[in-house]
Amino acid sequence: MNVSRRRLLAAGSTCLAGAVAAPFVARAADAQWTYKYANNLPETHPMNVRAREMAAAIKRETGGRFDLQIFPSSQLGSDTDTLSQVRSGGVEFFTLSGLILSTLVLPASINGMGFAFPNYDAVWKAMDGDLGAYVRAQIEKANLDVMEKIWDNGFRQTTTSTKPIVSPDDLRGFKIRVPPSPLWTSMFEAFGASPTSINFNEVYSALQTKIVDGQENPLAIISTAKLYEVQKYCSLTNHMWDGFWFLANRRAWQALPDDVRAIVAKYVNAAAVKEREDVAKLNASLQQDLTAKGLVFNQPDPAPFRDKLRSAGFYTQWKAKYGEEAWSILEKSVGKLA
Ligand code: X2X
């Protein structure tokens, strides 16, 4: 028996005044499945704008049988907590950066390899092609289901409250927040920086209270999460590309009838494709807007950063971790790295 039916019976059996209970019963009976979707981004980010559209379309096409409830801004917990919850079934859906997911599925961080992707064309070709398929197969081996289309986070830029990052030397000893993920820590350690792992829901306050002097994120996040309020410089380092896998708790996903599952998957994947366009547009147009809000931009030459990673043995080290198969799929998309 599903939850809403159980609730409906419970409501019926304890109801003394039918007229009072009726509106509740009618609402509970509407949806057969009420699934939670958690993410770490503000409501105004394209991810949540497209998710709201997608939830409405799913509700319409399932005739109200499927109700997707969206919980933005880490309302149900940090990324680390929510990863546990999507595994246990506490939440049914969760969008998570592949780099953070790598704490569970190591190869899921591979798309975040430093300076690997030159542009979005190369990203979508790889992630909708062999590299994405490889990573999804590894995610499924870890007992999570994952939708086909990865959502865009974007190319990441570095912000600070103290000084612009112009060359790799500027990162030496620099206190920077990174998301909880070995690849991020390893990469900033290779630059000689001093990275601290902090979940996104604590980033604004960590910057505000100067626990760290900087962070790195795509412009769409720097804007929607208002990080410009607590940062002064933005260096367009474009040091990696990051995306969000739309994960599903396996038991909850498989419990859906085929027709409902197909409708949900169709709209989730379509929303991902629209969100990609929105984010790319924002990331291209936000510089002006953020400048007006007081951020000072600079565009460093990526070559010395890449050289620094190479000479620190960063690529060789990660090639050994991922293994030949994964590494060769990556290099097929982006060219020789190590
Ligand atoms: O935590 C971050 O910086 C964010 C929002 O970009 C990710 O989810 C990786």
Side-chain angles (χ1 to χ4, degrees):
M1 201 190 317
N2 67 53
V3 174
S4 53
R5 173 118 180 95
R6 225 183 299 134
R7 244 196 253 140
L8 184 141
L9 290 184
S13 63
T14 56
C15 118
L16 299 173
V20 175
F24 169 72
V25 171
R27 240 181 301 133
D30 270 345
Q32 248 171 303
W33 298 278
T34 302
Y35 277 19
K36 295 193 272 297
Y37 159 42
N39 68 67
N40 65 0
L41 294 183
E43 280 188 27
T44 48
H45 189 281
M47 170 181 277
N48 280 308
V49 176
R50 293 302 182 179
R52 287 193 294 273
E53 273 177 22
M54 137 195 130
I58 292 168
K59 192 164 204 174
R60 197 167 54 238
E61 197 160 322
T62 58
R65 285 179 299 157
F66 192 96
D67 184 14
L68 184 68
Q69 297 187 335
I70 306 167
F71 295 86
S73 302
S74 305
Q75 281 171 19
L76 302 181
S78 71
D79 282 340
T80 307
D81 291 338
T82 314
L83 177 57
S84 301
Q85 292 184 59
V86 76
R87 295 177 73 195
S88 69
V91 307
E92 287 82 10
F93 298 117
F94 177 37
T95 35
L96 181 63
S97 160
L99 277 80
I100 300 177
L101 180 58
S102 78
T103 55
L104 176 68
V105 181
L106 179 113
S109 63
I110 196 161
N111 61 259
M113 192 45 50
F115 301 95
F117 289 102
N119 54 44
Y120 271 121
D121 282 350
V123 167
W124 303 132
K125 203 157 166 250
M127 300 314 287
D128 291 336
D130 289 355
L131 191 65
Y134 174 82
V135 171
R136 288 194 301 279
Q138 308 306 309
I139 294 172
E140 282 173 8
K141 281 188 198 156
N143 268 331
L144 282 168
D145 282 308
V146 56
M147 304 297 153
E148 192 186 324
K149 298 287 182 191
I150 193 166
W151 295 52
D152 190 22
N153 190 353
F155 284 91
R156 298 180 77 96
Q157 320 299 354
T158 309
T159 66
T160 85
S161 56
T162 50
K163 62 178 182 189
I165 304 300
V166 177
S167 80
D169 282 352
D170 295 315
L171 286 171
R172 210 178 302 140
F174 186 72
K175 285 196 293 180
I176 187 165
R177 171 272 173 172
V178 292
S181 163
L183 178 61
W184 255 303
T185 304
S186 154
M187 183 164 149
F188 282 91
E189 280 174 351
F191 286 128
S194 174
T196 306
S197 298
I198 300 174
N199 274 298
F200 190 66
N201 58 335
E202 287 171 4
V203 167
Y204 186 98
S205 68
L207 294 168
Q208 192 172 35
T209 59
K210 303 277 168 65
I211 288 171
V212 287
D213 294 326
Q215 66 85 45
E216 42 79 65
N217 251 303
L219 296 187
I221 286 183
I222 295 166
S223 169
T224 55
K226 301 194 185 326
L227 301 185
Y228 56 83
E229 292 177 351
V230 286
Q231 296 282 269
K232 181 70 191 159
Y233 298 97
C234 182
S235 304
L236 298 170
T237 46
N238 284 300
H239 51 277
M240 61 162 75
W241 178 81
D242 182 29
F244 296 97
W245 289 112
F246 200 102
L247 305 171
N249 172 269
R250 177 154 292 167
R251 215 173 330 112
W253 184 239
Q254 310 274 328
L256 299 174
D258 289 348
D259 63 327
V260 173
R261 205 161 47 222
I263 292 167
V264 174
K266 178 177 77 174
Y267 283 108
V268 171
N269 287 321
V273 172
K274 292 181 198 153
E275 185 263 2
R276 292 174 182 183
E277 288 166 17
D278 299 340
V279 172
K281 264 191 221 137
L282 272 183
N283 286 339
S285 68
L286 275 172
Q287 185 172 340
Q288 213 178 351
D289 185 55
L290 289 167
T291 301
K293 292 190 160 103
L295 268 192
V296 177
F297 280 82
N298 71 298
Q299 173 99 56
D301 175 8
F305 289 85
R306 218 181 186 172
D307 290 347
K308 174 81 194 190
L309 290 182
R310 212 170 269 140
S311 64
F314 173 76
Y315 295 110
T316 324
Q317 180 197 339
W318 281 92
K319 179 180 175 178
K321 282 193 200 177
Y322 292 129
E324 280 297 334
E325 188 191 359
W327 195 262
S328 68
I329 299 172
L330 175 66
E331 285 193 334
K332 212 173 62 186
S333 315
V334 303
K336 202 100 189 110
L337 290 168

